[in-house]
Amino acid sequence: MKLLLNLLRIIVGVLFIFSGLVKANDPLGLSYKMEEFFEVLHMTFMSPLSLTYSLVMNTLEIALGAALLLGFSMRLTSTLLLIMIAFFTFLTGYALYSGEIKECGCFGDCIKLTATETFWKDVILLVMILIIFIYRKRIQPLFGKKLTLVLTLLSVLFAVGLQWYTLSHLPIVDCLGYKVGNNLPEKMKLPPGARPAEYKTVLIYEKDGKQQEFTPENYPWSDSTWKFVDRRDKLIREAEGEAAVKDFILTDLDGGDQTQAILTEPTPVYLFLVKNVKEAGEGWDAKMHALQEQAKTGKVYIYGVTASSKADISAFTAAHGLQFPFLQMDGTAIKTAGRSNPCLILLEKGTVKGKWHYNDIP
């Protein structure tokens, strides 16, 4: 039993620390995944606090993993571990059996697991933690009480510090399709063997209080007793594989597609990503003004990229003295491309040559 407990202690502790570290590298990514869960569970009122939940969860995972390895306060540690894994198992089970969420984000964007893999991982962890909980009194601290407490507190401070750094700058390890060195046109292609999802159009009509589905070929167009209710696109086959970069479509404020012009431009192009101009961070104005001066010489081009409206863009550019044009892009694509608001990306013929948090704009 002692050998088994020590083995489980190492496996669970290391996995919790690893999982927490991967997500602490990109806490915003986990907060976006939480928003997706809140929407599916009809709990959107919790979305404004998603980043706070992300920070707390990542800190707990790292701290509890360290506490388990150190043998700190096993009654408290094992209880919190059991509560967390039970909660995770419920969420991943819901994601699997509802089919509404494909990935839980348990290992961030660096290690993608399917809903099935994630659920069974959590079930196995639940069993392991349950054994640890039952026999928690047999697990002894590695060191004295004071040293164990100090090391556990240091793990908390490390988790908080790491997340503060990544939020103030950018993720230390970029696992997304827009990382420095990637060629966006290449990353926008489907990988070999991949295929897109297939849908079929379903028309819903009602008659005598009963609804029935029809296809566009057999709907009762000539029978006036049927009343049209809704039109839906029904998934008939899941996608297999997907492009690393999705929805990278840049349009001018009149709707003209500028994507290919940007991606094929030989002159360096800076994209100033501002998902929501009303929520933009501060302290970058002087740096962007200096960059504007370079653009006037023709050495570089600068484009703002946002999901905001024309009116908001106009007010934003006037308030910050910005003289470069703005393009529009889907908000999800913007927050995937840059994990700060604003974020600056440098492209050369579609290849990402640089990426900066607004605190680090050169």
Side-chain angles (χ1 to χ4, degrees):
M1 180 56 71
K2 184 177 180 180
L3 179 62
L4 174 63
L5 281 175
N6 283 328
L7 181 62
L8 296 182
R9 173 183 182 174
I10 293 170
I11 293 172
V12 174
V14 170
L15 271 177
F16 263 70
I17 292 173
F18 177 74
S19 175
L21 285 175
V22 172
K23 294 195 289 289
N25 174 66
D26 182 16
L28 272 174
L30 178 60
S31 74
Y32 297 148
K33 180 57 66 175
M34 284 184 168
E35 289 175 8
E36 185 180 344
F37 270 101
F38 292 149
E39 186 174 349
V40 168
L41 295 170
H42 306 291
M43 299 169 64
T44 52
F45 64 91
M46 298 180 70
S47 293
L49 293 174
S50 60
L51 180 57
T52 301
Y53 300 143
S54 171
L55 296 172
V56 171
M57 183 177 293
N58 294 338
T59 302
L60 272 175
E61 278 197 77
I62 294 171
L64 288 175
L68 179 59
L69 291 177
L70 293 167
F72 171 75
S73 185
M74 285 310 303
R75 181 178 180 182
L76 175 63
T77 298
S78 62
T79 300
L80 290 176
L81 281 170
L82 189 58
I83 292 171
M84 281 194 76
I85 196 60
F87 177 65
F88 290 162
T89 305
F90 163 74
L91 288 181
T92 55
Y94 182 86
L96 174 61
Y97 292 106
S98 70
E100 297 185 69
I101 298 174
K102 292 182 180 179
E103 298 171 358
C104 78
C106 297
F107 290 119
D109 290 294
C110 294
I111 302 176
K112 292 182 179 289
L113 299 180
T114 66
T116 303
E117 290 168 341
T118 303
F119 173 69
W120 287 110
K121 169 188 72 71
D122 284 347
V123 168
I124 293 169
L125 275 173
L126 177 60
V127 173
M128 295 167 77
I129 292 173
L130 194 57
I131 294 172
I132 291 172
F133 177 78
I134 293 171
Y135 296 100
R136 61 189 180 276
K137 291 182 180 179
R138 299 193 184 188
I139 298 177
Q140 298 300 316
L142 285 183
F143 309 106
K145 286 186 178 181
K146 288 185 179 180
L147 180 57
T148 301
L149 174 61
V150 169
L151 292 174
T152 303
L153 290 176
L154 285 175
S155 71
V156 174
L157 292 175
F158 173 77
V160 172
L162 174 62
Q163 293 180 96
W164 171 84
Y165 178 85
T166 55
L167 288 174
S168 299
H169 302 279
L170 285 178
I172 297 169
V173 179
D174 191 345
C175 298
L176 298 168
Y178 297 85
K179 71 178 181 180
V180 175
N182 278 3
N183 180 268
L184 298 188
E186 288 298 319
K187 293 297 179 180
M188 291 165 70
K189 297 176 182 177
L190 286 173
R195 58 172 177 75
E198 292 185 19
Y199 297 86
K200 71 174 181 180
T201 300
V202 174
L203 303 175
I204 302 173
Y205 281 78
E206 184 176 319
K207 181 178 181 180
D208 298 329
K210 294 182 179 180
Q211 294 186 357
Q212 187 173 332
E213 294 183 353
F214 296 91
T215 66
E217 292 74 31
N218 72 348
Y219 73 98
W221 60 273
S222 60
D223 188 345
S224 60
T225 60
W226 286 95
K227 292 185 178 180
F228 175 76
V229 177
D230 196 9
R231 175 194 179 281
R232 297 175 187 165
D233 290 325
K234 194 172 185 179
L235 179 68
I236 58 174
R237 192 166 70 170
E238 292 274 1
E240 290 184 4
E242 60 180 15
V245 173
K246 299 177 291 183
D247 302 323
F248 186 83
I249 302 172
L250 297 165
T251 61
D252 57 36
L253 299 184
D254 295 319
D257 192 338
Q258 303 296 322
T259 310
Q260 288 306 310
I262 298 293
L263 293 178
T264 56
E265 175 58 53
T267 303
V269 177
Y270 284 98
L271 298 181
F272 186 59
L273 308 179
V274 195
K275 178 180 176 291
N276 187 332
V277 296
K278 292 183 177 180
E279 299 173 0
E282 300 177 348
W284 46 265
D285 296 62
K287 297 174 182 179
M288 290 307 298
H289 292 166
L291 204 57
Q292 281 183 163
E293 293 304 312
Q294 289 188 39
K296 290 178 182 178
T297 66
K299 294 180 180 178
V300 298
Y301 292 117
I302 309 174
Y303 294 94
V305 179
T306 185
S308 299
S309 65
K310 285 185 180 181
D312 289 341
I313 294 171
S314 179
F316 180 73
T317 54
H320 293 276
L322 303 181
Q323 300 169 6
F324 48 83
F326 264 74
L327 304 172
Q328 291 179 312
M329 189 164 76
D330 176 72
T332 300
I334 292 175
K335 67 185 183 183
T336 301
R339 288 294 206 239
S340 68
N341 186 41
C343 181
L344 186 67
I345 290 181
L346 173 61
L347 297 180
E348 289 186 18
K349 293 184 179 179
T351 297
V352 181
K353 293 295 186 177
K355 185 193 288 192
W356 301 273
H357 188 286
Y358 64 85
N359 288 330
D360 302 317
I361 292 175

